[in-house]
Amino acid sequence: MNNKISYLLNTVRYMHRCNSVLTPKSSATARKHILWVGRYTDPLENVNFRKLFLNIFPSLHGSSLRFLSQETDVFSTGANIQPEKSTEAFVSEQPPQSSLELEKLDDSGSFKVKHVVDHSDPFFSGLQKCTCPCDVLDLASESAVSTKHFTNCLTAVWRLFKNLSEDQQRYEKQLIFEHPAFVKLCQQVLRDSRRMTRGDLVFSLHAVVSLGVPQNTLLVQTLLRVCQEKLNQLDNRCISVLATTLAGLDKDKNVSALQAGLQLLVEQRIPSIRDIFILQNLMKCMGKDVPVFLKKKLEMAVLKQIDHLTFPNALRVFSALVAMNYCSIPILNACSKKIQENVHDAPFRQLILILEACYNLQYRNVKLFSALADYINSTACLWDKRQIILFLSAFETLGFQPSELMGVFAEKVTEDPEFLNLKNLLIVLRVYSRLNYVPKGQKHLFFETLHSCLNKYLPQISNTELLKAVYSLCILGYLPHRALDELLQKNSRGELLLSDDLYKEQKEMMLHCVKACMELDSPSFTKPAFVLTENFSSLISLNLRKAREALMELLGDENMFRQNVQLPYKYHIDFEIRMDSDRKKVLPVAATDDHADSSVQRLAVLFVPLSAFCVGTMHPQGKLAMKKRHLNKLGYHVILVLNKKFQEMTNEDAVEFLKGKIYSENAFSFSEMTVQDNN
């Protein structure tokens, strides 16, 4: 009898809750909801609920669920939510203390939860002694009697679960979902969801989602709905936890509505948030779809707290900016400084993530890169060779040349090349060729070692990998004859360039470079006495007009130079100038065009972008270095001009700059010139 009365009271309460969310848009809509309520069986009172719950929870792939789906409209997301107080009132309100408090994120980005323990309650003392999730569930089945008991049990299960290894988690997860107390625990959380404190509510949702309870279950959807209703009551820490939880959920009606409300609330709350940890977590969880004005507000809030930035938070802010796809130079500079000061405390994975973040944000900080490279180089003996390869690959994507580290690693390769599998070999070739690094004193040995490793993998290497490997070695000026023969045979059989290949144009370019290197870098090649040239176009690009005007003013006549010159092997130069052997006098181009004269010196002036050099220097990257080498073989003296810096000069300075380069036989070595990073 008591059970029947309890069921009746719960049914009346549930119908009252459902009735409170109905929108009186039309009588038809009302009848629809009334009919739905009339034939709905509350799963909380269903004697088969335990069995149903157990059948569903192990299935984490969204299988069909009898007691909830988006179609059943368990809670209408279109219903108007009437907050008890205004947002402004709740911002300044100091609500009652939750039984759960938030600690900082760990390395995995998960929340740590600490319990505010009531030492007079023996239940919490027992909870502290639990060492695995099943211990918590056993305790819950024996002693849990209040809402706080149930919510603390749920978060304790997650806290203990996330500290297990991956293999242990797979086994423990099955035990959790098969444990009878877990079903009862979820039932009670579902029953008491509207009576929970704000902290218990958001941490329960976080724990349930993190444990892998399917998003389309009534439990998760109910907690999401209650979070909507209590959104204005959440303090800043709870908002941070909720944002983290929502970031891991798929879009549905309740999630989208909650995210929209959360975004509005965050916008209002930003001035009141003083914790940089909460700020960076909101930045990370709000994601890249946040409006730009909100990104700027978050940026300003972080900058106000930047003096309190710690090393762990600096790492997290880096990843948060990546998640938000927002490059804030002031924040990144402050984080970089903190990272440089504490680089020795960063683990391997974190160092890689820093470099990846810089790449994703297009952030170039030479001091940061140098500090990381110096640290890795000074501790090279402690790193595995494969870890160093990953570091070098990350630096290569940034265009930064860690010369000392590359020299140390080259020695490791020549001493013990056996560790190089095909994948690592291709990475090493790509890194050294793009960054244009040749180890001093052991150039031939280094190349021969790489060539020998490549020959070992020729029987199993794919056509594309073979082309990439040969291309990389050719850029460095080394011709791997056996691999070249194999490549040319494949090309002659039509196996290299397929008509439906998405990368056909890129492969054609690489193959053209290989063939040019075979001719120009061959020991038998001699400098031609006369190079056939042609004007590519009389039109000059916009960014070269200033250079043309400066040359006109310096040389006095446009017949003293040629522009847009096309050379053999598809090489192109911006300006060509002819001079006498002493580099004292510029000669008219037409007068020296029709005959070969060994006393005439040809100058090739190339205006190149900053991206053609290694970051922070004027050391040319691989393709530019190859072009310079080949132009030298064709008889040209090459002058490299950084176009960005040239465009920033005044007209008078531009003329003086070109004068110094043209008339000086020993022009300033650009490889020794340092460029300030553009941040």
Side-chain angles (χ1 to χ4, degrees), residues 152-415:
N152 277 267
C153 282
L154 194 57
T155 52
V157 168
W158 164 239
R159 174 175 53 84
L160 293 170
F161 177 80
K162 72 184 180 64
N163 291 330
L164 300 174
S165 66
E166 189 174 341
D167 291 336
Q168 289 175 320
Q169 284 184 354
R170 280 194 293 268
Y171 174 72
E172 196 71 26
K173 193 170 194 175
Q174 184 177 355
L175 295 180
I176 292 171
F177 285 116
E178 291 177 352
H179 200 294
F182 185 64
V183 177
K184 182 181 177 182
L185 192 61
C186 292
Q187 286 179 343
Q188 197 64 44
V189 169
L190 182 61
R191 188 194 308 272
D192 297 339
S193 58
R194 282 179 170 77
R195 294 194 294 271
M196 292 180 185
T197 63
R198 62 191 183 191
D200 292 341
L201 176 64
V202 295
F203 275 106
S204 295
L205 175 61
H206 179 71
V208 165
V209 171
S210 301
L211 285 169
V213 176
Q215 180 177 334
N216 60 344
T217 53
L218 182 61
L219 175 62
V220 175
Q221 292 294 320
T222 300
L223 292 175
L224 288 171
R225 179 64 183 183
V226 177
C227 284
Q228 290 182 47
E229 297 172 359
K230 295 188 176 184
L231 186 59
N232 285 339
Q233 302 176 31
L234 302 183
D235 63 9
N236 295 336
R237 289 179 178 272
C238 291
I239 289 174
S240 181
V241 179
L242 182 59
T244 301
T245 307
L246 294 179
L249 293 175
D250 297 328
K251 295 284 187 182
D252 64 22
K253 290 190 294 184
N254 281 331
V255 170
S256 298
L258 194 49
Q259 285 178 329
L262 188 63
Q263 182 173 310
L264 293 173
L265 188 58
V266 167
E267 182 183 348
Q268 293 178 338
R269 293 281 186 88
I270 286 176
S272 69
I273 301 177
R274 299 287 184 267
D275 192 334
I276 198 170
F277 162 72
I278 294 179
L279 287 169
Q280 63 83 22
N281 190 54
L282 289 173
M283 291 165 64
K284 182 177 181 180
C285 298
M286 300 296 280
K288 61 183 179 181
D289 296 329
V290 176
V292 175
F293 77 89
L294 187 53
K295 293 181 181 181
K296 290 186 178 296
K297 281 191 173 183
L298 287 166
E299 176 188 19
M300 296 308 298
V302 172
L303 288 174
K304 289 179 181 178
Q305 308 299 323
I306 208 70
D307 292 337
H308 307 294
L309 187 69
T310 63
F311 175 60
N313 275 338
L315 298 176
R316 295 183 189 120
V317 169
F318 247 96
S319 61
L321 288 171
V322 174
M324 205 167 57
N325 192 27
Y326 186 68
C327 183
S328 170
I329 299 302
I331 293 179
L332 288 171
N333 286 342
C335 291
S336 297
K337 184 177 180 181
K338 187 63 67 174
I339 291 171
Q340 292 171 51
E341 295 170 354
N342 299 272
V343 65
H344 53 278
D345 293 329
F348 164 75
R349 182 58 186 160
Q350 201 65 63
L351 294 174
I352 293 293
L353 290 176
I354 291 170
L355 296 174
E356 289 178 352
C358 291
Y359 173 76
N360 291 328
L361 295 172
Q362 297 183 357
Y363 175 68
R364 302 294 184 265
N365 188 317
V366 177
K367 290 183 179 179
L368 174 63
F369 298 163
S370 299
L372 296 180
D374 291 343
Y375 168 67
I376 299 164
N377 182 48
S378 64
T379 56
C381 58
L382 304 177
W383 300 101
D384 183 81
K385 296 184 182 71
R386 293 168 182 81
Q387 289 179 313
I388 298 179
I389 288 176
L390 291 178
F391 281 128
L392 292 176
S393 180
F395 282 126
E396 179 261 332
T397 59
L398 292 165
F400 176 77
Q401 187 199 72
S403 54
E404 292 186 7
L405 180 61
M406 295 179 77
V408 170
F409 184 74
E411 292 180 4
K412 292 180 179 291
V413 169
T414 54
E415 291 172 359

Side-chain angles (χ1 to χ4, degrees), residues 496-514:
L496 204 58
L497 302 175
L498 303 178
S499 57
D500 58 345
D501 193 340
L502 295 176
Y503 303 99
K504 184 179 179 181
E505 291 185 6
Q506 183 181 356
K507 290 181 178 179
E508 286 177 342
M509 179 275 296
M510 295 169 69
L511 188 60
H512 168 75
C513 289
V514 168

Side-chain angles (χ1 to χ4, degrees), residues 33-46:
H33 281 281
I34 292 170
L35 290 173
W36 175 82
V37 171
R39 64 174 179 268
Y40 178 79
T41 302
D42 189 351
L44 294 176
E45 279 71 45
N46 191 332

